[in-house]
Amino acid sequence: MSIDKTSAAVGTPVGNPDAAHDAVTAVDPRLLVREQGLKGYLAEFKRKMHAGDLGSIPVVVGLIVIAVIFQSMNSQFLSAENLNNIAVTMVATGMMAVGIIFVLLLGEIDLSVGSVSGVSGALVAVLSVTHGMNEWLALVVALVSGAAIGALHGFFFAKIGAPAFAVTLAGLLFWLGFMLQLLGENGTINLDGEGVVGQLTTYYFSDIAAAYGLAAVAVAGFFLSSFFDNRRRAAAGIPSRPLSDIVMRTVILGVIAFAAAAMFNQYKGLPLALVLFLVVLVITDFVLRRTAYGRKIFALGGSVEASRRAGINVTAVRISVFALAGLFAAVGGLFWASKIAAANQSAGAGDLLMNVIAAAVIGGTSLFGGRGRTWNALLGVMVIVSIQYGLALEGIATPIQYMITGGVLLATVVIDSVTRKTQKTAGRA
């Protein structure tokens, strides 16, 4: 029996009209939202759950549970002051987690980011305080050094072929020793609290218009971006969200954004640290999702060999990703130095490295590569710092905090593993 391929492609088989009558036309499940309204949303939600496409749902639910539990234990947890402190404290770890997300998207790991962050703070302190260099110039030197260190790690991994785990583990030890050497016998160099680095975590936009203005810009930017993106998708003949869906999402974002703005204005105002973090998230998210470079990173995380055959310069992309990890580690180090107004021997040590990796993974970035967004850093670090502050309010000892954070990380990794198995079963991986 001969069937016209063109007719079959549009759902009109020529050879057997009776079979066509009983056939079920395949419909892209994403279009059900537009066709069936609320019923479509429920159907789409069930489809994603069955396919293991959990997205950020576990993290959001976790944040709600954390807030409810700690608020019931201590009424100060959701106070403007405590939430403001959480927002500022999470930026340093969050910045470093952004860099780690780029590395995890390749399916690799960077264990050196803690030590590199310590080197960053030490360089700024030594150059600006000890040697009297202009603080802006010292800051630039620190950031460039972080990127160069990351690129060096990437060179040994991508060009020489050494495992990233071993290279960055060696880097962890080497740069830790380098930081201690920089700080000298005293081990601590105090920074000017009114200087550039000092104000990274202490400066607030006290005018209430700043917080509300940022909220308005974020909501308007989200709506316009979604609206024009949908127009492009519709013009290309691919599934797009209905206007009602975009409006609903914009309203939800607006409620969250303006509620956060009101909270900040109840305390000191909008913190500069959070503004910088959000700007970084927007830029890096654009790079990953809207540029050829970002698509190459995802491609490498999916299959190195396929990427190489597609003409991607695997070595260059890998080196650049590790350079970005080093750069963001340096940025995080500057925020940590600002937080304590000093560079000391404990910088980059302790549980920092684990918290950075945990923030990326808890936020939804896969340890197996190829899945994640830089916004995952925000969600993940919110979970970690919220737990830390909640336990601190109750006076719970640090060892217990470590165990609870470890438990949350283990649960996240288990969810990630189960999700991948479910996706394979559903034919999506």
Side-chain angles (χ1 to χ4, degrees):
M1 179 178 63
S2 175
I3 298 178
D4 181 81
K5 294 183 180 179
T6 304
S7 299
V10 295
T12 313
V14 174
N16 193 346
D18 294 330
H21 181 271
D22 297 327
V24 177
T25 303
V27 179
D28 189 324
R30 291 171 293 185
L31 298 179
L32 294 176
V33 174
R34 178 172 63 189
E35 296 176 355
Q36 301 179 8
L38 180 59
K39 182 180 178 182
Y41 275 107
L42 294 176
E44 172 71 351
F45 177 77
K46 291 179 181 179
R47 182 188 71 82
K48 287 185 175 181
M49 294 301 100
H50 289 154
D53 188 7
L54 300 178
S56 300
I57 293 176
V59 190
V60 174
V61 172
L63 283 171
I64 295 174
V65 171
I66 289 170
V68 171
I69 292 176
F70 285 124
Q71 179 66 15
S72 65
M73 296 172 62
N74 192 315
S75 60
Q76 293 300 308
F77 181 76
L78 292 180
S79 66
E81 180 179 359
N82 191 59
L83 291 178
N84 194 291
N85 290 335
I86 289 175
V88 173
T89 301
M90 72 182 188
V91 171
T93 302
M95 288 287 194
M96 298 171 67
V98 170
I100 280 291
I101 286 173
F102 276 83
V103 177
L104 290 178
L105 287 175
L106 294 180
E108 301 297 338
I109 193 65
D110 187 344
L111 302 178
S112 69
V113 291
S115 296
V116 175
S117 71
V119 169
S120 170
L123 277 174
V124 167
V126 170
L127 293 176
S128 63
V129 177
T130 305
H131 296 288
M133 179 183 288
N134 177 274
E135 193 172 6
W136 278 106
L137 181 57
L139 186 147
V140 171
V141 170
L143 295 180
V144 171
S145 298
I149 290 171
L152 180 63
H153 296 161
F155 172 80
F156 282 108
F157 163 59
K159 195 70 175 178
I160 305 302
F165 179 91
V167 170
T168 56
L169 178 60
L172 181 155
L173 297 173
F174 181 88
W175 299 115
L176 175 61
F178 182 70
M179 178 194 70
L180 298 178
Q181 185 68 27
L182 279 177
L183 293 174
E185 295 181 359
N186 186 35
T188 300
I189 301 176
N190 294 324
L191 295 171
D192 179 9
E194 298 299 319
V196 177
V197 175
Q199 292 195 29
L200 286 175
T201 56
T202 59
Y203 185 83
Y204 290 80
F205 298 98
S206 56
D207 191 332
I208 62 173
Y212 288 122
L214 179 62
V217 169
V219 173
F222 175 81
F223 175 80
L224 293 175
S225 174
S226 301
F227 178 76
F228 287 112
D229 181 57
N230 259 27
R231 287 188 61 179
R232 287 192 296 269
R233 294 175 66 87
I238 55 180
S240 59
R241 299 184 185 279
L243 181 61
S244 58
D245 183 23
I246 297 175
V247 170
M248 183 189 71
R249 289 169 177 264
T250 303
V251 170
I252 293 175
L253 175 62
V255 170
I256 296 173
F258 281 96
M263 179 273 296
F264 287 126
N265 284 332
Q266 289 179 20
Y267 187 54
K268 294 181 180 180
L270 180 65
L272 172 63
L274 183 62
V275 174
L276 295 175
F277 187 31
L278 293 177
V279 169
V280 165
L281 291 176
V282 170
I283 293 174
T284 52
D285 182 67
F286 178 83
V287 169
L288 279 178
R289 297 195 303 119
R290 303 291 185 181
T291 68
Y293 175 70
R295 289 190 287 272
K296 290 176 182 178
I297 293 175
F298 281 107
L300 279 176
S303 173
V304 175
E305 186 56 34
S307 299
R308 184 178 286 109
R309 293 184 178 184
I312 294 175
N313 189 332
V314 175
T315 299
V317 173
R318 281 175 162 176
I319 292 176
S320 66
V321 165
F322 276 87
L324 283 173
L327 173 63
F328 283 110
V331 173
L334 295 178
F335 277 92
W336 278 120
S338 175
K339 185 70 176 175
I340 62 175
N344 59 34
Q345 294 178 338
S346 64
D351 61 344
L352 177 59
L353 172 61
M354 292 301 102
N355 282 341
V356 170
I357 297 175
V361 176
I362 290 173
T365 302
S366 175
L367 281 170
F368 303 97
R371 193 184 80 236
R373 296 180 59 180
T374 51
W375 286 100
N376 296 150
L378 175 62
L379 294 173
V381 77
M382 284 176 66
V383 169
I384 292 176
V385 178
S386 295
I387 291 175
Q388 291 174 343
Y389 268 74
L391 295 176
L393 285 175
E394 294 303 305
I396 297 177
T398 300
I400 303 300
Q401 295 183 29
Y402 285 165
M403 288 188 284
I404 292 177
T405 303
V408 172
L409 177 58
L410 176 60
T412 305
V413 174
V414 170
I415 291 174
D416 183 32
S417 300
V418 172
T419 297
R420 286 178 60 84
K421 290 182 180 179
T422 306
Q423 289 177 339
K424 287 182 179 180
T425 302
R428 299 186 65 246

